[in-house]
Amino acid sequence: MRLFFGILLLPAFLSAQLSNYSVFSIPEGLTNGANAVVRLDQMKVTISAIDEMQVRAVRVVTVLNEQGDEFVNTYAHYDNETKIEQISAVVYDSFGNELEKFKSRDFLDHSASGSGTLYSDSRVKYLQYTPVSYPYTVFFEKQYVTSDTAFIPNWYFMDGYEVSTETSSYSLDVLSNSPIRVDENNLEKFGVTSENTNTSLRYKATNIKAVKKEPFSPGYRDLAPNVKVALNAFSLKGVNGKAITWEEYGRWIYNDLLSGQGILSEAIKGKARQLVSGVTDPKEKVRKIYEYLQDNTRYISVQLGIGGWQPISASEVDRVKYGDCKGLTNYTMALLKEVGVDSYYTVVYAGASKRSLDPDFPMLSGNHAFLNIPLDGEEIWLECTSQDVPPNFLGTFTDDRYVLKVKPDGGELVKSKQYRPEDSAQLTNATVFIDSEGGVKGEVTIKSTGIQYDNKYDLTERKEDEIEEHYKEYWDYVNNVKITNTHFSNNRDQIEFLESVALTTNSYVSKAGEQWLFAPNMFNRNLYVPKRARDRKTEVVVKRGYLDEDEFVITLPTNMKPEKLLPSINLVTDFGYYHMEMESLDDNKILYKRKLEILPGASRHMPHCSSGWWCRLP
C-alpha cells in the first residue's frame, strides 16, 4: 500500500521540484507588504485504517527579509507512534540557483518537550539554516506514517499576517470505513475551491495576498481560511475511541482515560479528612485541599505514549509528589471527592490568546487540564499546576474560553471565568509633595485585582534590585526616580495585591522663568499610541477589558499656587470610558482624579485620536 502511494504521487510532487524558484517569478502583488511568500504548500493525507495514516507534504517558501524567517517551518515531529519516512530540504538564492542541499542526517534531532518534562517520547527533527542574504527560497519535503488518527492535520491556506500564498492545496483520502467530519471556515472570501466526496477532500487556493497586521487585529486563527477534519472513530496511542459530539468525547475521556486513575491510599484519604476536620463550608474545604496540593506537590510534565493524554494515577502522584497538569488535576479531584466535594476534570486550550474549543466542531482538542467545582450555582476553578495562584483564579492562562468539562455521563462544553473590566481593576492613590527646589517625594499605593492582579503578585518573589528596576520601567517617564521603600501584601482570599511604594526624584518639575510646569499624572500614564491604520481591513479586537482609577493629592510649596488646572474630560466610546478632573483643595493642594475603563470586544471602526482613548490621555 505505501509503495503504491509513493509511485502514484511522484509526478505531482516531482513537478513541484522542477518549478522556477526565482524571486522574479513570483506573481505581481504577492510581495507587497509581505515578509515571505509561500510559493507552494501541498499536503496529501491518506488514512488506510483506524490506526494508520500517512502524510506527505511539500513546502516552498521565499523569505524576503529577516521577519520572514519564522515561516520556513522545516521540521517534523515524531514519537513511538509516528515514524518519519523522508525529510529533506534545498535552499535557493534569489535567482533560483541552488545553494545547498540537506538530507535527513543534516537535520537536528531534539526532544520536543520543555525543560519541565521528566520524560517524553515526543521528538522533532528540524533544519537550522542561517541565511547569508535575502531573499532566499527553501524547498522542504517530508513524509511520515503514524498510528494516531485522533489528530488529522488541519489546513490553513495562509501562514499568518504579512505572508502571501502563491499555491496551497490539501487532499485527504479515507480508505477505511470510518466516516469523516469536515469544518470549513472563511474559504469563500479567499477564493478557496474544493471538490469533496464522502471519502475524499480536495482543496486549493492561489494568489492570496498578504494581510497587514493592524493594531488590535483579530487572532490569525480567527481570520485565516482553514479546514478542520476529524474521524468519527479514531486511535490515540493504541487506544481506540469513537465520538462525534462533545458529550461523547467527554464520555470517552472519562471511561478510557480517567477511569481507575483516582484511587488513593488509606493514608492519604485519612490525611484529606483530617485537613477538613470540623469544616462544613465546601469553599473552605476546597481552599484547604488546594493549599495542601500547592504545598506538597510540584509540576513536572509526563508525555510518554498515552500518558501524554491520560493522567498518572492519584496514588502515584501522592507517592512521588509531582505530576503534570493531568495528574495533578486528577489527584486534586480524588482528594476533593474524599471530603465530599464533587469536581470535574476539564480540558482547555491554555494560553494568553484565549483559544477556545470549537462549540460547532467536536474533536479531540486542548493542551491543558484544570479543575472545575460547581458550588451553589457558582463555578470554582483550580489551576492545579501552580504553587502560588489563589483558588478560583485563572488569569490569562485559561480565562474566558470554551472548555470541556468531563463528567461520568459525558462531556459538557462550558465557558471558563470571564473577568469584567471592573473585576480587573487597578486603584492607585498617591500623596505627592513638591519642595521649593522642584524635587518630589511621593507615597503610592496600588491595589490590583483580576487580570491586573495576574501581572503583579509575583513581585513578592523578586529581589530588591529587580523590584527597583520594575518601578523604574513602569514610571520610565519620571527621570531619576529613586525607590526608597516598598511593601507588598498578597491577599489570596480576596485575590487582591497591594503595593506600597515610597519614592523621590529631583527632576520632575520643569521651570520656565517664574513658572513651574508639571504633568499631574505621575503614576499611571498610558503612553501607548497604536499606528494609524488607514482604510482598516480587520476588526479592532480588545481581548480583555480593565479598569484604572487614580486619585493623587499633590502638595505644592507654601509660596506657590496653581495658575491653571487642566479642564475636565469625559469621553464615552464603543471601546470604553475616560474621565479626568482636577480641583484645588486649598491654596497649595491639588486633587487629581482619573478613571479609564476599557471594554472587551470587537468593532469595525477605530476612533480617531482626537476623540478616543487611543490618545495620550492626561
Side-chain angles (χ1 to χ4, degrees), residues 297-316:
T297 64
R298 66 189 189 279
Y299 171 79
I300 294 180
S301 179
V302 179
Q303 302 290 334
L304 188 63
I306 194 63
W309 288 90
Q310 183 180 51
I312 61 175
S313 68
S315 58
E316 182 68 5

Side-chain angles (χ1 to χ4, degrees), residues 229-426:
V229 185
L231 292 176
N232 290 352
F234 54 85
S235 178
L236 175 66
K237 309 299 179 185
V239 177
N240 290 346
K242 186 176 182 180
I244 60 174
T245 66
W246 284 119
E247 181 181 4
E248 288 179 316
Y249 267 109
R251 190 179 302 118
W252 176 74
I253 292 172
Y254 186 89
N255 291 331
D256 288 68
L257 301 184
L258 299 184
S259 181
Q261 299 302 101
I263 298 174
L264 294 169
S265 68
E266 291 303 319
I268 188 57
K269 286 181 180 180
K271 177 66 176 178
R273 292 192 295 267
Q274 180 184 359
L275 286 170
V276 301
S277 177
V279 177
T280 58
D281 182 4
K283 284 188 178 180
E284 182 62 13
K285 289 183 178 181
V286 170
R287 186 185 69 80
K288 286 184 173 291
I289 292 296
Y290 187 56
E291 287 183 353
Y292 176 81
L293 170 84
Q294 291 183 310
D295 292 341
N296 291 274
T297 64
R298 66 189 189 279
Y299 171 79
I300 294 180
S301 179
V302 179
Q303 302 290 334
L304 188 63
I306 194 63
W309 288 90
Q310 183 180 51
I312 61 175
S313 68
S315 58
E316 182 68 5
V317 172
D318 185 63
R319 184 183 71 83
V320 298
K321 305 304 181 188
Y322 64 74
D324 59 12
C325 63
K326 304 177 297 297
L328 295 174
T329 298
N330 179 67
Y331 178 57
T332 311
M333 183 169 62
L335 292 174
L336 287 171
K337 182 179 180 181
E338 186 60 33
V339 299
V341 177
D342 290 331
S343 59
Y344 300 107
Y345 185 96
T346 303
V347 179
V348 59
Y349 272 119
S353 65
K354 290 173 68 168
R355 182 180 176 186
S356 279
L357 303 184
D358 189 343
D360 301 320
F361 193 71
M363 61 186 299
L364 193 57
S365 310
N367 60 6
H368 186 63
F370 63 144
L371 199 63
N372 170 267
I373 309 165
L375 287 179
D376 300 326
E378 182 183 2
E379 301 284 339
I380 306 296
W381 302 91
L382 297 183
E383 176 47 65
C384 300
T385 63
S386 174
Q387 293 178 299
D388 47 27
V389 168
N392 202 26
F393 181 71
L394 299 183
T396 61
F397 195 53
T398 50
D399 71 316
D400 190 26
R401 66 203 73 187
Y402 282 106
V403 300
L404 183 64
K405 189 189 300 188
V406 177
K407 298 180 174 182
D409 58 350
E412 179 186 0
L413 209 64
V414 299
K415 263 291 191 74
S416 62
K417 181 182 179 71
Q418 180 185 26
Y419 293 92
R420 300 167 299 174
E422 59 268 32
D423 298 326
S424 296
Q426 178 180 277

Side-chain angles (χ1 to χ4, degrees), residues 69-321:
D69 285 333
E70 65 176 291
F71 299 103
V72 173
N73 295 342
T74 47
Y75 63 85
H77 289 276
Y78 71 98
D79 54 27
N80 289 341
E81 287 71 38
T82 302
K83 177 185 177 182
I84 299 174
E85 297 184 322
Q86 179 191 358
I87 186 169
S88 62
V90 184
V91 180
Y92 301 89
D93 66 14
S94 59
F95 297 100
N97 299 314
E98 183 181 306
L99 292 176
E100 198 167 356
K101 281 186 176 181
F102 299 92
K103 297 182 179 180
S104 177
R105 63 175 178 270
D106 302 315
F107 284 69
L108 299 179
D109 191 330
H110 282 186
S111 170
S113 303
S115 58
T117 300
L118 179 63
Y119 50 84
S120 170
D121 62 355
S122 180
R123 300 191 65 81
V124 61
K125 297 191 74 169
Y126 66 95
L127 179 65
Q128 190 172 46
Y129 176 74
T130 303
V132 295
S133 64
Y134 296 91
Y136 67 96
T137 298
V138 178
F139 174 96
F140 174 64
E141 188 171 15
K142 67 180 176 182
Q143 181 171 306
Y144 64 88
V145 63
T146 178
S147 61
D148 286 344
T149 56
F151 300 103
I152 300 173
N154 298 326
W155 197 248
Y156 284 80
F157 297 87
M158 296 168 51
D159 272 40
Y161 285 107
E162 295 166 0
V163 180
S164 296
T165 301
E166 187 172 343
T167 300
S168 176
S169 65
Y170 176 80
S171 66
L172 180 143
D173 291 286
V174 180
L175 308 182
S176 63
N177 294 324
S178 181
I180 58 174
R181 292 178 291 113
V182 184
D183 183 41
E184 301 175 344
N185 299 282
N186 305 320
L187 299 190
E188 289 187 5
K189 67 175 68 173
F190 290 94
V192 179
T193 61
S194 62
E195 295 181 8
N196 298 340
T197 69
N198 290 335
T199 59
S200 68
L201 306 176
R202 301 288 185 271
Y203 291 93
K204 186 175 183 180
T206 58
N207 295 333
I208 300 178
K209 294 183 179 180
V211 176
K212 182 179 180 181
K213 184 172 177 58
E214 299 166 314
F216 295 89
S217 289
Y220 156 69
R221 286 180 175 270
D222 298 325
L223 174 78
N226 65 86
V227 175
K228 291 183 285 189
V229 185
L231 292 176
N232 290 352
F234 54 85
S235 178
L236 175 66
K237 309 299 179 185
V239 177
N240 290 346
K242 186 176 182 180
I244 60 174
T245 66
W246 284 119
E247 181 181 4
E248 288 179 316
Y249 267 109
R251 190 179 302 118
W252 176 74
I253 292 172
Y254 186 89
N255 291 331
D256 288 68
L257 301 184
L258 299 184
S259 181
Q261 299 302 101
I263 298 174
L264 294 169
S265 68
E266 291 303 319
I268 188 57
K269 286 181 180 180
K271 177 66 176 178
R273 292 192 295 267
Q274 180 184 359
L275 286 170
V276 301
S277 177
V279 177
T280 58
D281 182 4
K283 284 188 178 180
E284 182 62 13
K285 289 183 178 181
V286 170
R287 186 185 69 80
K288 286 184 173 291
I289 292 296
Y290 187 56
E291 287 183 353
Y292 176 81
L293 170 84
Q294 291 183 310
D295 292 341
N296 291 274
T297 64
R298 66 189 189 279
Y299 171 79
I300 294 180
S301 179
V302 179
Q303 302 290 334
L304 188 63
I306 194 63
W309 288 90
Q310 183 180 51
I312 61 175
S313 68
S315 58
E316 182 68 5
V317 172
D318 185 63
R319 184 183 71 83
V320 298
K321 305 304 181 188

Side-chain angles (χ1 to χ4, degrees), residues 12-13 16 40-44 56-59 155 167-169:
F13 281 84
L40 176 66
D41 203 2
Q42 191 173 52
M43 178 172 283
K44 170 71 176 179
R56 189 173 187 190
V58 168
R59 180 176 172 82
W155 197 248
T167 300
S168 176
S169 65

